[in-house]
Each structure stands twice: as C-alpha cells, then as structure tokens.
Amino acid sequence: MRNPRKLLSIFSLTVRLKYSTKPNCHSYLSCSSANLYTRCAMMQSSVKSLRSICCFSQIIRTSFNTLSSSSSSYSTQPLNTSSITVLTNLCSKGRIKEAFESFKSEIWSDPNLFSHLIHGCISKNSISWGKQLHAITITSGCYLDKFVNNHLLNMYGKLGELETVLVLYNVMHRKNVMSSNILINGYLQSDDLGGAQKVFDEMPERNVATWNAMVTGMIQYEHNEEGLGLFSRMHLLGFSPDEFTLGSVFRGCAGLRALFCGREVHVYAIKSGHGLSLVVGSALANMYMRCRSLEEGERVIQGMPIHNVIACNTLIAGRAQNGCPEGALEQYNIMKKAGFQPDKITFVSVLSSCSELGTLGQGLQIHAEVIKRGVTSVVPLVSSLISMYSRCGCLEESIKAFMQCKDADVVLWSSMISAYGFHGKGGEAIELFKHMEREGLEANNVTFLSLLYACSHCGLKDEGLEYLDLMVKKYGLKPRLEHYTCAVDLLERSGCLLQAEDMIRSMPSKADAVIWKTLLSACKTHKNTEMAKRIAEEVLKLDPLDSASYVMLANIQASAKRWDEVSTVRKAMRDRRIKKEPGVSWFEFKNEVHQFTMGAKYHPRSIEIYLYLKELMSDIKKCGYVPDTGSVLQDMDTEVKEQNLAQHSEKLAIAFALMITPPGFPIRVMKNLRVCDDCHVAIKYISRIKDREIIVRDTSRFHHFKYGECSCSDYW
C-alpha cells in the first residue's frame, strides 16, 4: 500500500480504538508511523517522526499515564473566561509546558484549546514545541478536528516549514477555505508566488481572507498591475478588503506611480471606514509622496488622529524623496521632540538627506544616534553611512564604515565602488570590484553602473568599455539606459564624440534628454559648435523646457564669439519663459549652513565678504591667475566680465569659509551646478596661496584642491 492518506487513516483508527493508551504504545505507534511514511517514499517525514520519539517520549508518556490512571477525574466543564485568559497569557509568553500541565484535563475535554498552545509556538518561534504538540494531537485523535489541523498548518507555515505544511494538507480528511488560505500564505512566506496562485486558482470557494492574501502577495512581489486587477475583481464580487489589503493596494499604486488610481482607492477607503487608520493612512501618504504629490501626502499625515513611528517615517522619507532634505531633517527633530524613537528606516532617510545637503555635522550626530541604538550592523544603514560620508567629502570615513561591516553584501560593495568613483578614484574602484569577485559575490546592474561611473570620471575608456562588455557576456546582465549614458560619457571625455553619437543612435534603449545632454556638454568641452547645435535639437525635442541645455548651447556659441546665435538662444528662452537655474553654493560650519548665490548680498557679513574676496582675487592674479572672460555669455567690457566671474557663488562661499575657519581647517563647499572652468582654475590658486585643502562637490563629482592641484586632473 502506497497511499499515505489511507495509511494515516489506519493509524488514526488505532488511536480511536485506544490502543495508544497501552504501556509504551506511543513509541510503537511513532515507529509505525515512521515506517508508513518511509514506505510511501516520504523519507523526510520518516526522519522527523523517528526524531520525535526521543524528544516527545517523556511528555507523551506523562500525559497518557495520567490519562489512564485518572481519566474519570477529568473535568468536562468548559473553561471560564478568566481561565482562558490565564491560558492565553501563558501561551503568549512562551510558557507552553506550564500552560499544558495547568490545563491538560480541560484540553483533553476540549481539543479546540490546543489552538492556544499551538499559537504559543509561533510566538515563541519554537518548531520543537510545535512538533511535540502535533504528536500529542495525533496520539490523542485530536488531529481529526479540522480546527486543530488548521492551527497546525498555520503554525508550520509561520515557522517556515512549507514541506510539512504540504504533507499535512495533503493527508487532511476535511479541508475548508481556511486550510487553503493557510497554504496560500505558506507559499507566499516561502517566496513561491506561483504555488500560491495555483492553490488560489483551484479553490472552488474563496472568502475575503483568500482575496486579501493574494492581493497582498501579488503587490509584495511587485506584480503591481496583477495585484490591482485582483483587487478590482474582489470588489466586483462584493468582498470587502481589510485595512492591510488597502495598505498593499496603495503600495501597488505607488509602485506604478498611478496617482489617479490611488485617489480612487482613497475615496473607497474613506467610504469603507478605513480612511483614518494608522495602516491605511501611512500607506496612503506614502502613495501620494511617491507619486510626487508631497502636499497631499502631508495632509493625510496631518489628518490622522494619532501618529506612530511608521507615520513619522513616511513623512520623513516622502520629504527626502521629493527634494526637500531640509524638511526631512526638520521632521526628524520634531519626531524626537514628540517622544518617538527613530528606527533603522528613519536613519536611512535622514542620512540620505544629509548626503543631499552635504551637511557633515548633522550626519555625524545621526551616526552617533545609530551607534547609540545599536544598529550599526544593519546593511542598508551602513550603505547610507558610506554614501553620506562620501557625499560630504569624507572618503576615509566611508572606507572605515565599509571595513567595519562584517556581513557586507553586494549593495555595500557597490556603494563603496560608487564612493571611490565620485571622488575620482577609478583605480581603487576597479581593484575593489576585483576583490569583490574573489569573494564570490555576484555583481548586479548597480555594481556595474558604479564601476562605469568611476571609469568615466578618470578617463579609463578602455577599461570601462571592457566592463560594459563583461556585464553582458559573463554576468548575463542587460545594460540599461544609465549604463549607456556612462559609456557615452567615457567616449566623449576621450574626444570620441562621433562614436558616442553612434552609440546613442544604435543602442537598444530609447534615448532620453540626459544622455543627449551628456554629449552636448562634451561639445562644449571640445568646442564643437556645429555638433552642439545638432545635439541641442535632440535634447530640446525631449525636454523643451530644460534651461541647462539652452545655457550650454549659448555658452558654446559665446566661446565661438557668435553673439547673434547667443541672442537667438536667449530670445528663445524669454519667449518660452525659461529661466536659468541660479548657481547656489553652501558650506556648513558649527552646525550652521551658510548659503550663497552669484552677486547676492543678503548675508549679514556681505560687505566683509566682498572686500575679502576682492583682495583674494588680487592675490591670485599676482600668482598667475587669468580670468576666463570668454566663458561670460554677455557681450560686455572685459572689466565687467571679470567682476561677473569674481562673484560666482563658490568663490563667495570659499572666501567666507577662509574668513571664519581656523588655519589648516579643510573647507567643504557644495554646489548645485557644475563648477565652471574659471572657478576651477581660481580655486587651485587659492588652495596654494592659503595652504588649505578645499573640497568642492558639484553635480558631477568631488574636486579635492590641494597645493594648487585638483584630484580630477582637470578632467570633469
């Protein structure tokens, strides 16, 4: 006989005939069940059954000896409310043995009470106790109760024992919708969406929990469209989702950036009475913020009657992701004042805001909080620390954070490769990648993007193109548009402009404005006026309101002294009401951020700053600095052009930093645009005559100025 269901039925019959109450019969039956499983080719269950004998023998022997000697004294009265409360509390605290011994007579009278013990195994995360209880239900015959069986299924599923769930499910005499729902959740917990879908499709009957599980599962595995489709079917069939399902649906809308769909579900949530719950409110706010509707998301958070850490994290992350890093840090301070304790998710968001702003002082304070909370080994947090220190100009601290992490994964290695690249350390980035390969870690798309970026900023054209080829041939990865953008940058920095244009026109990905702007910038560097005009047309087709492209084209025409063409470009900007993005530079000192824009005099010490800057420019001219007046767009006198250049935001920031910082103190300046050629030359002279290290972060990379040289080797 090879039918496990029939064999288990025979086994249960012996239990019902009370053979199991004979001396040592529990061991005999356990051995017999192992033999049955083995004959049915269920080797794993056989091994488990045999192992159970040693573990469960004592508790089963004690239970059945008691059952034999004093069965007449067992209470047949149901437990009262207070006794059930005591039983539940003991189980929830993991005191399962105490609970069993305290209420064993009642448990034998009412097998449904096994559910509390079984649930306690989940709370305690104890598979061994779960197996002991399972053995007792079999030898006592209680396993024939589908309520008990469903709790056993749930326990095995929650503890990650999917194979045991399948065996138990297949031999169950009576199944119901709950049994199938538990199996679906077991598959989902084991990352088997296909298995869950198969069970769902084959179910003759479904309830609201079935639909909730599948909608949540689909969206959890980023099958957002399918998940929203199931939600729609669920609604049409008259099933009402719970708050957790609505939370998943909002996450699906966020993943698809489906703002209109999200608003419709928002209305539905209000009508169904779920609009103000913490779960729905936080997911709804997250949806609005990820769909670039920050104000709507903030209104949802503000309208929630109570807040928790999740709601605070949603608001902080939303502000950080929508270009409001200052607002994210402000909310972080409000959160702490309100008494909420930041968690690892909070720290990731606020560290990314420090990275964006380049505020090292605040980053250091948050790092101290991370250490205090004891979460320094959390990989996403370490990755954020690497990025924060790197983008604040402290590469050595990034390396230190990376080296201290014992369980570095591919994300951390990629972050460190990116940090090297951002600081112009292409050789180190390549060596780290080779080390990563030796460690047996498999590179992904992000790793290669970081590597290509590092190569492009160090002029390593041949190496970069080799890695682009390697990611396809060795790793089987398909290059994305971002990888091709780096490859184009590699080519154009080496002067291969036509080859770069050919790559854009022949690549499988559809070109966007960014990749064309990369080539347009190269036309400016290599003074290729004719090509620039052609490439600018491609950019403006895709993004007709991009101010940077107009400015670059005007700069190229101005360099060639084609003032009529410059006027044409400027007129086009006026006609379309396009304004040049103003250059902004800032630096942090003693936790205070000082911000400067070109020619602005709003700083309280503006008069001192301009006088100091005038003297500074005079000093570097004596050392050989010559202003690059050719880069000024307007057709004006040379003296006026020089005054114009001297008032660039980065020069103002550096002048003020030199005024207020002690000698030898490194100066870190951040800028929202690319550093111009004139400022790059001027800062080299300033670093030499003032004997200071000046670190400037622009939109492209970090420039480390020291002793009159720059780490980029004039290649940026």
Side-chain angles (χ1 to χ4, degrees):
M1 186 183 291
R2 297 288 178 179
N3 189 321
R5 183 187 296 274
K6 290 181 180 178
L7 289 169
L8 196 55
S9 298
I10 293 169
F11 178 64
S12 65
L13 179 61
T14 66
V15 172
R16 290 200 297 274
L17 291 173
K18 300 189 182 295
Y19 291 133
S20 57
T21 59
K22 294 180 180 179
N24 299 321
C25 190
H26 49 270
S27 296
Y28 170 77
L29 289 174
S30 296
C31 290
S32 298
S33 66
N35 185 48
L36 295 179
Y37 283 131
T38 305
R39 290 176 180 276
C40 292
M42 297 166 67
M43 183 57 69
Q44 187 174 2
S45 297
S46 171
V47 172
K48 288 180 180 177
S49 184
L50 287 169
R51 285 177 178 170
S52 298
I53 297 169
C54 300
C55 299
F56 312 155
S57 179
Q58 185 58 47
I59 190 169
I60 294 173
R61 181 179 292 111
T62 303
S63 301
F64 280 98
N65 285 343
T66 306
L67 179 66
S68 301
S69 62
S70 57
S71 59
S72 60
S73 66
Y74 282 173
S75 171
T76 57
Q77 296 297 318
L79 282 181
N80 57 35
T81 304
S82 61
S83 296
I84 289 176
T85 302
V86 173
L87 175 63
T88 305
N89 286 338
L90 287 171
C91 293
S92 65
K93 293 174 182 176
R95 294 156 66 181
I96 300 167
K97 184 177 180 180
E98 183 181 344
F100 179 75
E101 290 180 346
S102 300
F103 295 97
K104 56 189 170 187
S105 62
E106 290 85 357
I107 290 168
W108 294 126
S109 302
D110 183 6
N112 286 343
L113 294 176
F114 269 111
S115 64
H116 298 288
L117 298 169
I118 294 167
H119 190 73
C121 297
I122 300 172
S123 303
K124 194 176 180 180
N125 196 29
S126 174
I127 191 67
S128 62
W129 268 105
K131 288 176 179 178
Q132 292 183 51
L133 290 170
H134 189 180
I136 294 172
T137 64
I138 292 174
T139 53
S140 66
C142 295
Y143 86 98
L144 294 171
D145 186 289
K146 66 182 177 185
F147 179 78
V148 172
N149 261 326
N150 281 337
H151 275 280
L152 286 168
L153 276 178
N154 184 54
M155 182 264 298
Y156 282 121
K158 290 285 177 63
L159 297 178
E161 296 277 329
L162 180 60
E163 289 185 16
T164 308
V165 172
L166 291 171
V167 171
L168 185 56
Y169 180 84
N170 288 330
V171 299
M172 281 176 67
H173 289 271
R174 290 185 296 166
K175 303 182 184 76
N176 59 9
V177 175
M178 183 182 288
S179 312
S180 299
N181 290 348
I182 293 168
L183 185 55
I184 286 172
N185 283 311
Y187 273 120
L188 292 173
Q189 190 170 326
S190 299
D191 298 332
D192 188 351
L193 183 60
Q197 181 73 63
K198 186 173 184 294
V199 176
F200 177 82
D201 292 340
E202 292 175 353
M203 286 176 70
E205 181 187 354
R206 303 179 185 117
N207 62 13
V208 65
T210 317
W211 288 94
N212 284 343
M214 279 310 299
V215 170
T216 302
M218 286 288 186
I219 292 170
Q220 177 186 339
Y221 292 101
E222 298 184 356
H223 293 259
N224 295 318
E225 290 185 21
E226 294 90 335
L228 294 180
L230 273 180
F231 173 72
S232 179
R233 282 174 58 196
M234 174 185 182
H235 176 62
L236 291 172
L237 290 170
F239 291 101
S240 299
D242 61 18
E243 61 178 358
F244 297 101
T245 305
L246 285 171
S248 295
V249 171
F250 284 126
R251 283 192 291 276
C253 294
L256 295 170
R257 304 296 188 269
L259 181 58
F260 180 76
C261 178
R263 284 175 175 150
E264 288 187 320
V265 181
H266 184 184
V267 173
Y268 174 81
I270 293 171
K271 288 181 178 178
S272 61
H274 292 297
L276 295 177
S277 77
L278 277 170
V279 173
V280 173
S282 297
L284 174 61
N286 176 63
M287 182 276 295
Y288 278 125
M289 291 172 178
R290 287 185 63 190
C291 292
R292 300 296 180 191
S293 185
L294 180 60
E295 289 184 6
E296 285 182 277
E298 289 188 336
R299 280 201 298 271
V300 170
I301 295 287
Q302 290 161 6
M304 290 167 63
I306 55 173
H307 288 175
N308 61 2
V309 173
I310 296 172
C312 294
N313 286 346
T314 301
L315 186 51
I316 291 169
R319 288 180 173 178
Q321 292 162 6
N322 282 275
C324 299
E326 298 97 335
L329 292 172
E330 179 188 0
Q331 185 60 37
Y332 171 69
N333 291 325
I334 292 171
M335 172 187 180
K336 289 198 296 180
K337 287 177 183 176
F340 293 112
Q341 298 296 333
D343 60 15
K344 58 187 178 183
I345 297 172
T346 319
F347 290 131
V348 168
S349 295
V350 292
L351 284 170
S352 72
S353 296
C354 293
S355 298
E356 186 68 24
L357 293 170
T359 49
L360 179 61
Q362 286 178 301
L364 287 166
Q365 290 177 4
I366 293 166
H367 189 182
E369 283 272 343
V370 169
I371 295 169
K372 187 178 177 182
R373 293 277 167 211
V375 288
T376 51
S377 60
V378 176
V379 171
L381 251 178
V382 179
S383 180
S384 296
L385 283 169
I386 290 171
S387 178
M388 184 274 292
Y389 280 120
S390 166
R391 293 182 64 81
C392 289
C394 299
L395 182 60
E396 291 302 319
E397 291 299 319
S398 293
I399 297 169
K400 186 178 176 181
F402 175 74
M403 296 299 290
Q404 287 176 345
C405 186
K406 296 178 181 178
D407 300 315
D409 63 2
V410 66
V411 175
L412 276 191
W413 287 83
S414 301
S415 297
M416 196 62 236
I417 290 169
S418 177
Y420 276 128
F422 205 50
H423 285 265
K425 306 282 187 180
E428 287 86 343
I430 290 172
E431 284 305 312
L432 190 62
F433 174 74
K434 290 177 179 177
H435 187 185
M436 174 182 159
E437 285 192 310
R438 289 194 297 270
E439 290 289 321
L441 290 166
E442 189 163 331
N444 59 23
N445 276 298
V446 177
T447 313
F448 279 104
L449 185 61
S450 301
L451 196 56
L452 288 168
Y453 181 88
C455 291
S456 72
H457 280 75
C458 296
L460 302 173
K461 183 190 78 169
D462 295 336
E463 292 87 342
L465 295 176
E466 283 177 13
Y467 284 120
L468 184 66
D469 192 51
L470 182 73
M471 74 177 287
V472 177
K473 292 182 177 177
K474 181 177 177 180
Y475 289 89
L477 299 171
K478 184 180 178 182
R480 298 175 182 170
L481 182 59
E482 296 91 337
H483 298 96
Y484 285 110
T485 302
C486 282
V488 166
D489 196 40
L490 277 168
L491 292 168
E492 54 91 347
R493 286 175 184 273
S494 302
C496 306
L497 270 60
L498 291 174
Q499 190 178 345
E501 185 179 1
D502 288 342
M503 177 175 280
I504 295 174
R505 297 190 186 279
S506 63
M507 66 184 183
S509 304
K510 185 179 179 182
D512 65 354
V514 174
I515 196 167
W516 285 115
K517 279 166 66 176
T518 301
L519 188 53
L520 181 61
S521 177
C523 293
K524 176 180 178 291
T525 303
H526 296 282
K527 296 182 171 52
N528 192 327
T529 309
E530 295 304 321
M531 187 176 186
K533 193 172 182 180
R534 181 172 75 248
I535 301 304
E537 289 175 0
E538 297 287 352
V539 177
L540 297 176
K541 279 181 192 174
L542 296 167
D543 191 358
L545 300 179
D546 179 56
S547 63
S549 301
Y550 287 100
V551 172
M552 268 196 281
L553 183 59
N555 270 321
I556 293 165
Q557 302 291 6
S559 297
K561 301 193 183 301
R562 297 183 176 182
W563 301 113
D564 290 341
E565 295 285 347
V566 174
S567 298
T568 302
V569 174
R570 292 173 69 84
K571 183 178 183 301
M573 290 180 72
R574 285 195 302 272
D575 292 345
R576 296 178 184 178
R577 296 182 180 179
I578 298 169
K579 293 184 178 180
K580 177 186 175 184
E581 182 182 2
V584 180
S585 297
W586 66 95
F587 85 103
E588 181 191 35
F589 185 65
K590 293 184 178 178
N591 287 335
E592 185 178 359
V593 177
H594 301 270
Q595 186 172 293
F596 300 88
T597 56
M598 178 179 171
K601 297 183 179 180
Y602 52 76
H603 196 281
R605 298 180 66 178
S606 289
I607 295 174
E608 293 176 71
I609 294 168
Y610 277 93
L611 286 172
Y612 184 91
L613 182 59
K614 185 177 181 180
E615 183 181 336
L616 183 63
M617 297 307 291
S618 175
D619 289 344
I620 63 174
K621 281 181 181 178
K622 293 173 184 176
C623 294
Y625 163 70
V626 178
D628 181 17
T629 55
S631 63
V632 180
L633 279 177
Q634 291 88 351
D635 187 11
M636 55 180 66
D637 292 341
T638 301
E639 186 178 346
V640 179
K641 286 184 178 182
E642 287 188 16
Q643 289 177 355
N644 192 315
L645 290 170
Q647 295 179 8
H648 280 193
S649 63
E650 53 265 60
K651 291 190 180 83
L652 290 168
I654 290 168
F656 183 60
L658 288 167
M659 286 169 54
I660 66 170
T661 57
F665 188 87
I667 295 170
R668 292 180 174 87
V669 172
M670 313 294 156
K671 186 175 181 180
N672 66 327
L673 302 175
R674 185 177 180 271
V675 173
C676 74
D677 293 344
D678 179 75
C679 285
H680 194 267
V681 173
I683 298 169
K684 286 200 288 186
Y685 278 101
I686 294 169
S687 72
R688 190 173 73 191
I689 67 167
K690 294 296 181 180
D691 193 22
R692 290 285 193 105
E693 181 180 7
I694 303 173
I695 302 162
V696 179
R697 187 188 88 186
D698 67 5
T699 54
S700 176
R701 61 174 296 155
F702 267 99
H703 302 264
H704 293 258
F705 297 93
K706 202 169 185 180
Y707 308 127
E709 300 293 333
C710 180
S711 60
C712 74
S713 301
D714 300 334
Y715 193 93
W716 82 101

